[in-house]
Amino acid sequence: MSTLEKLPVTVITGFLGSGKTTLVKHLMLNPQGKRLAVVVNEFGDVGVDGDVLKSCAIPDCPAENIMELANGCICCTVADDFIPTIEALMALEPRPDHILIETSGLALPKPLLKAFDWPDIRSKITVDGVIALADAEAVAAGRFATDVAAVDAQRLADDSIDHETPLSEVFEDQISCADIILLTKPDLAGPEGVAKAKAVIAAEAPRPLPVVEVAEGVVDVRVVLGLEAAAEDDMDARPSHHDGHHDHEHDDFDSIIIELPEQSDPLDLVAKIERLATELNILRVKGYAAVQGKPMRLLVQAVGARVRHQYDRPWQPGEDRRSRLVVIAEHDDIKEAEIRAILAPVNEAAE
C-alpha cells in the first residue's frame, strides 16, 4: 500500500454478546493476504476480548497489532485514546493494510464515525464500512424493542409518553449506521426466528441493507472487507437518536467487577450466572474463573441466561489464580449487594 493511500478501517458494532470478537478472530485467521491491525474497545477493565484475540495472533496480525482500549468509549475519548491508538498503528513497520475496530457492545457507532474527521487523521484513513452484528435469537425475542402494544395502550391515555428504552436506542443506532448486517446465531433462532429478526431489522433500517446469516463468525472475508463505503462522508444516510447532540452519555448502563475465590464446580457458577439474568435482569457477564484442581483458566461468556464456558489456556507460573467477572446491565439493574449475594454468598466468600 502506498503511504499516500488512505488506510481502510472497518468498524464492527453490535450489541453485547452478538459475536463481534468471534467475527474478528475469524477475520484475523483468514486475512486474504492483508496485514491486519485490531483495536478492541471493552466495557469494563477486564480485557476478555483483547485476551481472546491475542491468543490467536498470527504473522499477518501479530500480537503487537492488537490494541485494547478498556473502560471507556472510544468515541468519547477521541483525543486521549482513539487518535493516539490509530496513529500508533499507522506508524507500525510494516504498516497494516487494514484496521478492524471492535466497538463496545454499548457503543453508538455514529459518534465514532465523526472521529474520523479529526484533523490529525482525516487525510490518512477512511471508513471502509460499518458491520453491525445482530443476535438473531435476541432480536426475534424482542429484547431490543419496546412492547409496541403496551406502549400504544398507554399512549391512549397520554400521548406524550416516551417509552423508548436504552436497549432499543442502541440497537436502532447500530442498525441505522451499518453498511451490512450479519445475523448471528441463526441456529439458536431457528428458521422462524431468523425470518422474524430479518423483518425487525428491515423495519428499523433507514435504507435497504444486505443481511447475511453467520454462524460462529464464519463469513467470506470478501463480503465484509473492501466495501469502500467511505462512511465518514455519508453521515446523513445514517440517522441516529443522538443526532444534534454534542456528545452522548453511557449513564444508562453500568458495570461492576466481581472477584471470586476458586470455584469447585463450573456448572454451579453457570447456574449462578443464569440466575443473574432471570432474577436481576443482567445483560452480560464475561471474565475468567479459577477452578479447583484444574491447571487451565475457565473463560466465561454470558448473554442473558445463555452461558458459554470453556478452558482457554493454562494459568501461567506466578499468575494469581483468581476469578474475575465483569457484570453489565442497565444502570438501575446494577444492584451490587444482590449480585454479590448470588455469585459469592457470604459463607463461600469467607472460605
Side-chain angles (χ1 to χ4, degrees), residues 293-318:
K294 298 293 183 181
M296 297 189 73
R297 189 178 65 174
L298 186 73
L299 171 66
V300 179
Q301 298 268 18
V303 182
R306 193 170 66 219
V307 186
R308 300 179 70 173
H309 62 287
Q310 65 187 66
Y311 292 101
D312 71 325
R313 68 163 176 81
W315 290 99
Q316 302 302 314

mmCIF file of all heavy atoms in Angstrom, residues 293-318:
data_model
loop_
_atom_site.group_PDB
_atom_site.id
_atom_site.type_symbol
_atom_site.label_atom_id
_atom_site.label_comp_id
_atom_site.label_asym_id
_atom_site.label_seq_id
_atom_site.Cartn_x
_atom_site.Cartn_y
_atom_site.Cartn_z
ATOM 1 N N GLY A 293 -8.309 -27.654 41.289
ATOM 2 C CA GLY A 293 -7.756 -28.866 40.693
ATOM 3 C C GLY A 293 -7.545 -28.795 39.195
ATOM 4 O O GLY A 293 -7.095 -29.777 38.589
ATOM 5 N N LYS A 294 -7.861 -27.673 38.560
ATOM 6 C CA LYS A 294 -7.718 -27.542 37.109
ATOM 7 C C LYS A 294 -6.545 -26.621 36.782
ATOM 8 O O LYS A 294 -6.473 -25.490 37.303
ATOM 9 C CB LYS A 294 -8.991 -26.987 36.476
ATOM 10 C CG LYS A 294 -10.218 -27.872 36.657
ATOM 11 C CD LYS A 294 -10.070 -29.180 35.886
ATOM 12 C CE LYS A 294 -11.344 -30.014 36.009
ATOM 13 N NZ LYS A 294 -11.221 -31.307 35.277
ATOM 14 N N PRO A 295 -5.633 -27.043 35.930
ATOM 15 C CA PRO A 295 -4.473 -26.207 35.603
ATOM 16 C C PRO A 295 -4.802 -25.104 34.591
ATOM 17 O O PRO A 295 -3.979 -24.221 34.362
ATOM 18 C CB PRO A 295 -3.490 -27.208 35.000
ATOM 19 C CG PRO A 295 -4.360 -28.255 34.372
ATOM 20 C CD PRO A 295 -5.555 -28.370 35.284
ATOM 21 N N MET A 296 -6.011 -25.163 34.006
ATOM 22 C CA MET A 296 -6.365 -24.189 32.981
ATOM 23 C C MET A 296 -7.401 -23.202 33.501
ATOM 24 O O MET A 296 -8.183 -23.507 34.400
ATOM 25 C CB MET A 296 -6.887 -24.896 31.723
ATOM 26 C CG MET A 296 -5.855 -25.792 31.063
ATOM 27 S SD MET A 296 -6.394 -26.423 29.454
ATOM 28 C CE MET A 296 -6.257 -24.944 28.446
ATOM 29 N N ARG A 297 -7.396 -22.031 32.897
ATOM 30 C CA ARG A 297 -8.329 -20.957 33.245
ATOM 31 C C ARG A 297 -9.660 -21.178 32.529
ATOM 32 O O ARG A 297 -9.692 -21.567 31.360
ATOM 33 C CB ARG A 297 -7.707 -19.632 32.808
ATOM 34 C CG ARG A 297 -8.410 -18.391 33.257
ATOM 35 C CD ARG A 297 -7.651 -17.151 32.797
ATOM 36 N NE ARG A 297 -7.644 -17.032 31.346
ATOM 37 C CZ ARG A 297 -7.147 -15.976 30.702
ATOM 38 N NH1 ARG A 297 -6.600 -14.983 31.382
ATOM 39 N NH2 ARG A 297 -7.176 -15.923 29.392
ATOM 40 N N LEU A 298 -10.759 -20.906 33.206
ATOM 41 C CA LEU A 298 -12.088 -21.068 32.630
ATOM 42 C C LEU A 298 -12.564 -19.721 32.089
ATOM 43 O O LEU A 298 -12.714 -18.749 32.840
ATOM 44 C CB LEU A 298 -13.070 -21.584 33.681
ATOM 45 C CG LEU A 298 -14.475 -21.946 33.172
ATOM 46 C CD1 LEU A 298 -14.428 -23.240 32.358
ATOM 47 C CD2 LEU A 298 -15.448 -22.084 34.342
ATOM 48 N N LEU A 299 -12.793 -19.659 30.783
ATOM 49 C CA LEU A 299 -13.337 -18.462 30.144
ATOM 50 C C LEU A 299 -14.856 -18.544 30.206
ATOM 51 O O LEU A 299 -15.454 -19.555 29.832
ATOM 52 C CB LEU A 299 -12.881 -18.390 28.687
ATOM 53 C CG LEU A 299 -13.520 -17.316 27.804
ATOM 54 C CD1 LEU A 299 -13.142 -15.933 28.272
ATOM 55 C CD2 LEU A 299 -13.109 -17.523 26.343
ATOM 56 N N VAL A 300 -15.496 -17.466 30.670
ATOM 57 C CA VAL A 300 -16.950 -17.434 30.814
ATOM 58 C C VAL A 300 -17.504 -16.282 29.977
ATOM 59 O O VAL A 300 -17.031 -15.145 30.082
ATOM 60 C CB VAL A 300 -17.359 -17.239 32.293
ATOM 61 C CG1 VAL A 300 -18.875 -17.175 32.420
ATOM 62 C CG2 VAL A 300 -16.797 -18.357 33.153
ATOM 63 N N GLN A 301 -18.506 -16.572 29.147
ATOM 64 C CA GLN A 301 -19.163 -15.565 28.324
ATOM 65 C C GLN A 301 -20.664 -15.805 28.417
ATOM 66 O O GLN A 301 -21.152 -16.869 28.035
ATOM 67 C CB GLN A 301 -18.729 -15.692 26.853
ATOM 68 C CG GLN A 301 -17.246 -15.466 26.607
ATOM 69 C CD GLN A 301 -16.932 -14.020 26.279
ATOM 70 O OE1 GLN A 301 -17.727 -13.129 26.542
ATOM 71 N NE2 GLN A 301 -15.776 -13.789 25.685
ATOM 72 N N ALA A 302 -21.403 -14.816 28.924
ATOM 73 C CA ALA A 302 -22.850 -14.980 29.081
ATOM 74 C C ALA A 302 -23.584 -13.814 28.443
ATOM 75 O O ALA A 302 -23.200 -12.660 28.602
ATOM 76 C CB ALA A 302 -23.221 -15.080 30.559
ATOM 77 N N VAL A 303 -24.640 -14.149 27.711
ATOM 78 C CA VAL A 303 -25.572 -13.158 27.170
ATOM 79 C C VAL A 303 -26.933 -13.508 27.748
ATOM 80 O O VAL A 303 -27.523 -14.519 27.388
ATOM 81 C CB VAL A 303 -25.620 -13.206 25.629
ATOM 82 C CG1 VAL A 303 -26.560 -12.121 25.107
ATOM 83 C CG2 VAL A 303 -24.239 -13.050 25.040
ATOM 84 N N GLY A 304 -27.400 -12.680 28.667
ATOM 85 C CA GLY A 304 -28.619 -13.042 29.365
ATOM 86 C C GLY A 304 -28.408 -14.360 30.092
ATOM 87 O O GLY A 304 -27.391 -14.574 30.758
ATOM 88 N N ALA A 305 -29.358 -15.272 29.956
ATOM 89 C CA ALA A 305 -29.258 -16.567 30.626
ATOM 90 C C ALA A 305 -28.525 -17.607 29.781
ATOM 91 O O ALA A 305 -28.447 -18.770 30.171
ATOM 92 C CB ALA A 305 -30.662 -17.073 30.981
ATOM 93 N N ARG A 306 -27.995 -17.196 28.642
ATOM 94 C CA ARG A 306 -27.249 -18.123 27.779
ATOM 95 C C ARG A 306 -25.768 -18.012 28.121
ATOM 96 O O ARG A 306 -25.140 -16.994 27.872
ATOM 97 C CB ARG A 306 -27.497 -17.770 26.312
ATOM 98 C CG ARG A 306 -27.038 -18.853 25.344
ATOM 99 C CD ARG A 306 -27.544 -18.543 23.949
ATOM 100 N NE ARG A 306 -26.946 -17.338 23.396
ATOM 101 C CZ ARG A 306 -27.582 -16.439 22.665
ATOM 102 N NH1 ARG A 306 -28.861 -16.573 22.435
ATOM 103 N NH2 ARG A 306 -26.966 -15.390 22.198
ATOM 104 N N VAL A 307 -25.216 -19.054 28.720
ATOM 105 C CA VAL A 307 -23.849 -19.022 29.237
ATOM 106 C C VAL A 307 -22.978 -20.025 28.475
ATOM 107 O O VAL A 307 -23.344 -21.195 28.333
ATOM 108 C CB VAL A 307 -23.811 -19.360 30.747
ATOM 109 C CG1 VAL A 307 -22.397 -19.186 31.292
ATOM 110 C CG2 VAL A 307 -24.796 -18.493 31.525
ATOM 111 N N ARG A 308 -21.839 -19.544 28.010
ATOM 112 C CA ARG A 308 -20.854 -20.429 27.373
ATOM 113 C C ARG A 308 -19.592 -20.398 28.225
ATOM 114 O O ARG A 308 -19.176 -19.341 28.696
ATOM 115 C CB ARG A 308 -20.547 -19.964 25.946
ATOM 116 C CG ARG A 308 -21.774 -19.938 25.047
ATOM 117 C CD ARG A 308 -21.451 -19.452 23.651
ATOM 118 N NE ARG A 308 -20.661 -20.413 22.906
ATOM 119 C CZ ARG A 308 -20.366 -20.269 21.614
ATOM 120 N NH1 ARG A 308 -20.774 -19.213 20.942
ATOM 121 N NH2 ARG A 308 -19.650 -21.180 20.988
ATOM 122 N N HIS A 309 -18.973 -21.554 28.402
ATOM 123 C CA HIS A 309 -17.735 -21.593 29.174
ATOM 124 C C HIS A 309 -16.812 -22.654 28.597
ATOM 125 O O HIS A 309 -17.276 -23.681 28.070
ATOM 126 C CB HIS A 309 -18.033 -21.884 30.652
ATOM 127 C CG HIS A 309 -18.682 -23.206 30.909
ATOM 128 N ND1 HIS A 309 -19.998 -23.477 30.593
ATOM 129 C CD2 HIS A 309 -18.186 -24.353 31.441
ATOM 130 C CE1 HIS A 309 -20.294 -24.711 30.933
ATOM 131 N NE2 HIS A 309 -19.213 -25.268 31.444
ATOM 132 N N GLN A 310 -15.508 -22.368 28.669
ATOM 133 C CA GLN A 310 -14.514 -23.307 28.167
ATOM 134 C C GLN A 310 -13.171 -22.978 28.814
ATOM 135 O O GLN A 310 -12.919 -21.847 29.223
ATOM 136 C CB GLN A 310 -14.378 -23.196 26.640
ATOM 137 C CG GLN A 310 -13.831 -21.833 26.182
ATOM 138 C CD GLN A 310 -13.854 -21.673 24.685
ATOM 139 O OE1 GLN A 310 -14.923 -21.635 24.088
ATOM 140 N NE2 GLN A 310 -12.674 -21.559 24.089
ATOM 141 N N TYR A 311 -12.316 -23.974 28.920
ATOM 142 C CA TYR A 311 -10.964 -23.742 29.402
ATOM 143 C C TYR A 311 -10.150 -23.195 28.235
ATOM 144 O O TYR A 311 -10.065 -23.829 27.184
ATOM 145 C CB TYR A 311 -10.364 -25.041 29.940
ATOM 146 C CG TYR A 311 -11.042 -25.529 31.206
ATOM 147 C CD1 TYR A 311 -11.977 -26.564 31.166
ATOM 148 C CD2 TYR A 311 -10.754 -24.933 32.435
ATOM 149 C CE1 TYR A 311 -12.606 -26.991 32.327
ATOM 150 C CE2 TYR A 311 -11.382 -25.359 33.600
ATOM 151 C CZ TYR A 311 -12.308 -26.382 33.540
ATOM 152 O OH TYR A 311 -12.937 -26.795 34.691
ATOM 153 N N ASP A 312 -9.583 -21.988 28.426
ATOM 154 C CA ASP A 312 -8.955 -21.338 27.276
ATOM 155 C C ASP A 312 -7.435 -21.426 27.271
ATOM 156 O O ASP A 312 -6.822 -21.474 26.218
ATOM 157 C CB ASP A 312 -9.408 -19.873 27.169
ATOM 158 C CG ASP A 312 -8.832 -18.997 28.271
ATOM 159 O OD1 ASP A 312 -8.670 -19.494 29.398
ATOM 160 O OD2 ASP A 312 -8.556 -17.814 27.998
ATOM 161 N N ARG A 313 -6.801 -21.424 28.447
ATOM 162 C CA ARG A 313 -5.336 -21.534 28.467
ATOM 163 C C ARG A 313 -4.884 -21.900 29.876
ATOM 164 O O ARG A 313 -5.601 -21.694 30.863
ATOM 165 C CB ARG A 313 -4.687 -20.223 28.035
ATOM 166 C CG ARG A 313 -4.859 -19.060 29.001
ATOM 167 C CD ARG A 313 -3.866 -17.950 28.700
ATOM 168 N NE ARG A 313 -4.047 -16.778 29.530
ATOM 169 C CZ ARG A 313 -3.589 -16.646 30.773
ATOM 170 N NH1 ARG A 313 -2.985 -17.666 31.379
ATOM 171 N NH2 ARG A 313 -3.763 -15.505 31.441
ATOM 172 N N PRO A 314 -3.645 -22.439 29.998
ATOM 173 C CA PRO A 314 -3.129 -22.752 31.334
ATOM 174 C C PRO A 314 -2.855 -21.483 32.130
ATOM 175 O O PRO A 314 -2.529 -20.430 31.562
ATOM 176 C CB PRO A 314 -1.819 -23.503 31.038
ATOM 177 C CG PRO A 314 -1.926 -23.943 29.613
ATOM 178 C CD PRO A 314 -2.755 -22.900 28.923
ATOM 179 N N TRP A 315 -2.995 -21.581 33.438
ATOM 180 C CA TRP A 315 -2.538 -20.494 34.301
ATOM 181 C C TRP A 315 -1.022 -20.414 34.196
ATOM 182 O O TRP A 315 -0.335 -21.428 34.180
ATOM 183 C CB TRP A 315 -2.948 -20.756 35.748
ATOM 184 C CG TRP A 315 -4.423 -20.648 35.993
ATOM 185 C CD1 TRP A 315 -5.308 -21.677 36.062
ATOM 186 C CD2 TRP A 315 -5.167 -19.444 36.175
ATOM 187 N NE1 TRP A 315 -6.581 -21.200 36.280
ATOM 188 C CE2 TRP A 315 -6.523 -19.829 36.356
ATOM 189 C CE3 TRP A 315 -4.843 -18.094 36.214
ATOM 190 C CZ2 TRP A 315 -7.537 -18.903 36.572
ATOM 191 C CZ3 TRP A 315 -5.845 -17.160 36.424
ATOM 192 C CH2 TRP A 315 -7.172 -17.561 36.601
ATOM 193 N N GLN A 316 -0.506 -19.192 34.096
ATOM 194 C CA GLN A 316 0.934 -19.008 33.929
ATOM 195 C C GLN A 316 1.648 -19.108 35.277
ATOM 196 O O GLN A 316 1.061 -18.823 36.333
ATOM 197 C CB GLN A 316 1.212 -17.641 33.295
ATOM 198 C CG GLN A 316 0.538 -17.434 31.951
ATOM 199 C CD GLN A 316 0.949 -18.487 30.942
ATOM 200 O OE1 GLN A 316 2.140 -18.798 30.807
ATOM 201 N NE2 GLN A 316 -0.030 -19.063 30.232
ATOM 202 N N PRO A 317 2.917 -19.526 35.277
ATOM 203 C CA PRO A 317 3.674 -19.579 36.535
ATOM 204 C C PRO A 317 3.676 -18.215 37.219
ATOM 205 O O PRO A 317 3.952 -17.189 36.591
ATOM 206 C CB PRO A 317 5.090 -19.969 36.066
ATOM 207 C CG PRO A 317 4.865 -20.701 34.766
ATOM 208 C CD PRO A 317 3.696 -20.016 34.122
ATOM 209 N N GLY A 318 3.332 -18.204 38.487
ATOM 210 C CA GLY A 318 3.304 -16.956 39.235
ATOM 211 C C GLY A 318 2.038 -16.136 39.064
ATOM 212 O O GLY A 318 1.854 -15.121 39.742
#
